[in-house]
Amino acid sequence: MRRILAALGRYPVITATVAVGIIAAALAGAGQSAWATGITTAYVSAVVVWTIIGMIRDVMRGHVGLDVLAVIAMVATLAVGETIAALIIVLMLSGGEALEDYAGRRATRELTALLDRAPQIAHVRRPGAGDETRDLPADEVAVGDELLVRPAEVVPVDGVLLSDEASFDESSLTGESMPVTRTAGETVLSGAVNGSRAIRVRALRRSADSQYQQIIALVRAAQESRAPMVRLADRFAIPFTAVSLAIAGAAWGLSGDSVRFAEVLVLATPCPLLIAAPVAFLGGISRAAKAGIIVKGGAVIEQLARARSAAFDKTGTLTQGRPMLVDVRPAPGIDPDRLLAWAASAEQYSAHVLADGIRRAASARGIAVEAADDAHEEATNGVTAVIGGRRVVVGKPAYVAALAPDTTLTALEAGHAAAYVAVDGRFAGALVLADGARPESRAVVRWLRGHGVERVTMLTGDARPTADAVAASVGVDEVHADLLPAEKVHLAAMMTPRPVLMVGDGVNDAPVLAAADIGIAMGARGATAAGDAADAVVLKDSLTKVAEAVAIGRDTLRVAYVAIWIGIALSVAAMLLATTGLVPAVIGALGQEMIDLATILYALRALRGRPFDLSDRGTTGAVDDAHAHGPTGSVPAEAE
């Protein structure tokens, strides 16, 4: 009973329409037909006035939609005395909203599942608490707290594993279906589901800063964003309205019967157009979420479907983002291990992937990292830190040379990058790192080219030789290197043909991701700034998901248009049949509900789509323009 009452409260127009219908039927059965007609007419007239007010508001906002057809149909049925048909049209319009809501909940099930699994409680053991643990809200966990995670529980915050070994289900974070084994000292991400043994974890970040909460924020943004669903339907509004009125007018003129006009128009109500696109786009968003791609709204789905150019960052995007130290080149008189210790101590304050490579190299060699008395990072250039009373600078050669004039460039092989180091204003040496291309990068570039992306380029802050080497290995033939973030933004803005898809992973990529037509962030490593700026976030550390996002966008848009055309075709066929007088207005109004249902069922196909195959080279793969537009036509040196 509670559910029924909730449903009645959720859709008051449906409730009121059904109530008016019951009252009118009772009055008519009691011989009070005039009262029944009067109540029905008054109610439908009120709905017409309310709809017209909404249309005026939309027009004032520059939006002209399809509601005019529904208004004309209601007015026409009232004018010819078909009050029951008018009531059914009202029920159809409000019922269409309910059907859309149901389909929307079905389509967003994957997104809602992420929200429902958000960690709420943490078992915390703090100094002074003995061996006991206390259950606290996850957002009260402090950095450094020791947590107990029981079997099958969700890890509440990002942390470091203290237990010797543990197995985790990270499918909600990365899309990886198989359990992942972590060992002591490795990072465990919030949102991962613990295996069969209780484990201990030390909190690395607060709940609000942890990986899963960042994903939750992205999901909420995706759910709250408004897709271009009405705009999509409105491309058909004027032609469909004109055709419908022409058929209805012709039926009236040829028959001389004004009732025929109303009988045609009840089949011209625009529910299939208004419902098909929203359901399809919600289905596409849900399908993307299931694949490990958070898409922030239907507008992004549509843009993905129409992408004509693609630009990629290099480090961590086309490359694996786990650079390995291949050489230490100290200046005369500098010990190599001392150079690496200085660099690693400074780079602990940088989030760039090349900085991570330096820190890992120091750890592997047993070199201790010292804490800094002061540290700051200058985006895209380098980091400065005071280590043991000495000012250490690590970064690009120009940045280091500005503080240490004796800096000398070191020779690099193709595909290598160098982080330059200065100490107390004197050049101390360089660290050479190599970051190999992702194994899937070449196949992704090839897939995009085979599916309508005409131009593929690399936008990187890395040095030209390194950028060229990586580009050649992955099949990118246009390279822009040595770029600052502002230059990336400018190049993305000038790129043609459009829309332009930009893929990046680092904090320094946030401006260009925000500026591009479609920004996709490789968010598996928790690049929060990039994820916030992007239109879509890939949760699994695989570039393949970028191509899959484009494929989902194209499948979704194709389903949306086919669903719309199904609704148009069925409506026009039914209208033509109604011109013969064989379809009474009441039957026509009920028939339109069947057309709505057929449209929704087809639009839900966007939930599944065709299986993605990266080896499919395609032809053009893009949504045809004429069809799509409807009937009207570290910042270490030499790194990003």
Side-chain angles (χ1 to χ4, degrees):
M1 178 61 70
R2 184 179 299 175
R3 290 185 179 180
I4 295 175
L5 293 175
L8 292 175
R10 189 182 299 122
Y11 307 111
V13 178
I14 294 179
T15 304
T17 304
V18 172
V20 169
I22 293 172
I23 293 170
L27 288 171
Q32 302 293 325
S33 298
W35 276 100
T37 300
I39 290 174
T40 304
T41 301
Y43 175 71
V44 175
S45 298
V47 173
V48 168
V49 172
W50 181 257
T51 306
I52 290 174
I53 292 172
M55 289 169 54
I56 293 173
R57 289 172 178 167
D58 288 342
V59 169
M60 292 176 66
R61 291 195 295 263
H63 165 72
V64 181
L66 287 152
D67 288 340
V68 63
L69 267 179
V71 169
I72 294 173
M74 286 185 284
V75 171
T77 48
L78 288 179
V80 299
E82 293 282 356
T83 55
I84 299 301
L87 202 62
I88 291 175
I89 293 174
V90 175
L91 185 62
M92 176 178 56
L93 290 174
S94 55
E97 177 187 345
L99 287 171
E100 179 185 343
D101 185 47
Y102 168 77
R105 290 198 304 272
R106 166 71 175 83
T108 56
R109 193 164 55 188
E110 298 296 335
L111 295 181
T112 304
L114 283 174
L115 295 176
D116 291 342
R117 290 181 64 256
Q120 302 294 329
I121 299 295
H123 313 303
V124 182
R125 179 176 179 238
R126 288 178 174 164
D131 294 328
E132 297 181 359
T133 59
R134 289 183 295 163
D135 288 351
L136 297 177
D139 55 9
E140 292 185 14
V141 174
V143 175
D145 279 350
E146 182 178 318
L147 311 179
L148 171 67
V149 183
R150 298 185 176 119
E153 285 188 338
V154 178
V155 179
V157 298
D158 293 352
V160 174
L161 183 63
L162 299 179
S163 301
D164 294 336
E165 186 177 272
S167 177
F168 298 94
D169 175 2
E170 298 182 353
S171 58
S172 63
L173 300 170
T174 67
E176 173 57 59
S177 59
M178 299 298 292
V180 177
T181 300
R182 303 289 181 197
T183 57
E186 288 193 86
T187 300
V188 179
L189 297 177
S190 63
V193 180
N194 185 26
S196 58
R197 292 186 297 176
I199 60 169
R200 295 179 300 117
V201 174
R202 188 175 305 284
L204 270 179
R205 301 178 185 89
R206 296 171 55 251
S207 175
D209 302 323
S210 293
Q211 174 81 344
Y212 199 78
Q213 293 302 326
Q214 299 299 328
I215 294 175
I216 293 298
L218 293 171
V219 170
R220 288 202 175 101
Q223 287 193 323
E224 293 168 3
S225 65
R226 189 165 180 213
M229 302 162 185
V230 175
R231 292 202 306 271
L232 188 62
D234 285 350
R235 297 171 190 169
F236 298 83
I238 294 176
F240 185 72
T241 301
V243 169
S244 301
L245 291 175
I247 294 174
W252 185 1
L254 293 174
S255 67
D257 185 0
S258 60
V259 175
R260 199 69 58 83
F261 182 80
E263 290 174 345
V264 172
L265 280 188
V266 296
L267 288 159
T269 48
C271 284
L273 303 189
L274 296 175
I275 295 173
V279 171
F281 278 103
L282 288 170
I285 292 171
S286 180
R287 180 184 168 196
K290 190 173 183 179
I293 310 159
I294 300 298
V295 177
K296 301 178 184 178
V300 182
I301 291 283
E302 187 171 357
Q303 289 285 69
L304 282 168
R306 296 192 168 117
R308 292 294 185 275
S309 299
F312 291 88
D313 171 44
K314 183 187 74 67
T315 304
T317 304
L318 288 171
T319 65
Q320 298 182 59
R322 290 187 62 83
M324 304 296 292
L325 183 69
V326 296
D327 197 11
V328 179
R329 300 176 182 176
I334 302 293
D335 178 71
D337 284 352
R338 181 70 260 180
L339 175 66
L340 181 56
W342 279 327
S345 299
E347 291 286 40
Q348 67 182 309
Y349 301 99
S350 172
H352 195 276
V353 292
L354 295 186
D356 181 60
I358 293 174
R359 293 193 299 267
R360 283 188 285 107
S363 177
R365 299 187 185 192
I367 297 174
V369 174
E370 303 175 48
D373 297 322
D374 178 49
H376 71 274
E377 184 175 14
E378 184 172 322
T380 79
N381 283 314
V383 62
T384 299
V386 178
I387 310 292
R390 295 190 158 193
R391 184 168 296 277
V392 179
V393 180
V394 186
K396 289 184 174 181
Y399 177 67
V400 175
L403 302 172
D406 62 333
T407 299
T408 57
L409 295 178
T410 187
L412 296 174
E413 297 178 18
H416 288 183
Y420 291 77
V421 184
V423 179
D424 290 338
R426 296 189 61 82
F427 179 57
L431 306 175
V432 181
L433 301 99
D435 185 19
R438 292 178 182 267
E440 72 272 18
S441 292
R442 175 173 283 275
V444 169
V445 171
R446 183 178 62 239
W447 188 94
L448 290 173
R449 283 206 171 101
H451 291 78
V453 177
E454 303 168 25
R455 184 179 179 187
V456 180
T457 186
M458 178 193 290
L459 304 180
T460 178
D462 211 338
R464 168 67 64 175
T466 304
D468 285 341
V470 172
S473 69
V474 302
V476 174
D477 50 19
E478 181 181 347
V479 179
H480 300 273
D482 298 303
L483 299 177
L484 296 174
E487 294 171 322
K488 288 187 179 182
V489 171
H490 175 73
L491 285 169
M494 300 298 293
M495 190 176 295
T496 57
R498 306 194 80 87
V500 174
L501 168 69
M502 176 69 203
V503 187
D505 79 314
V507 173
N508 60 310
D509 293 320
V512 68
L513 291 174
D517 298 319
I518 319 115
I520 298 183
M522 303 293 291
R525 295 190 178 96
T528 303
D532 288 345
D535 300 298
V537 180
V538 173
L539 302 180
K540 186 174 182 179
D541 192 23
S542 172
L543 200 64
T544 301
K545 293 298 177 181
V546 173
E548 187 170 0
V550 174
I552 290 172
R554 290 184 172 160
D555 279 351
T556 301
L557 193 58
R558 188 178 295 107
V559 168
Y561 276 112
V562 172
I564 287 173
W565 280 111
I566 287 174
I568 289 175
L570 292 176
S571 294
V572 170
M575 282 189 284
L576 291 174
L577 181 62
T579 61
T580 64
L582 297 176
V583 185
V586 172
I587 300 300
L590 292 172
Q592 184 63 32
E593 287 283 6
M594 298 299 102
I595 295 175
D596 293 351
L597 184 59
T599 303
I600 289 173
L601 289 175
Y602 187 88
L604 282 172
R605 288 169 59 92
L607 279 167
R608 299 184 303 274
R610 295 175 295 187
F612 177 71
D613 183 3
L614 190 59
S615 65
D616 173 21
R617 301 199 179 191
T619 50
T620 63
V623 177
D624 180 74
D625 280 340
H627 176 67
H629 288 86
T632 57
S634 331
V635 178
E638 305 178 15
E640 288 83 0

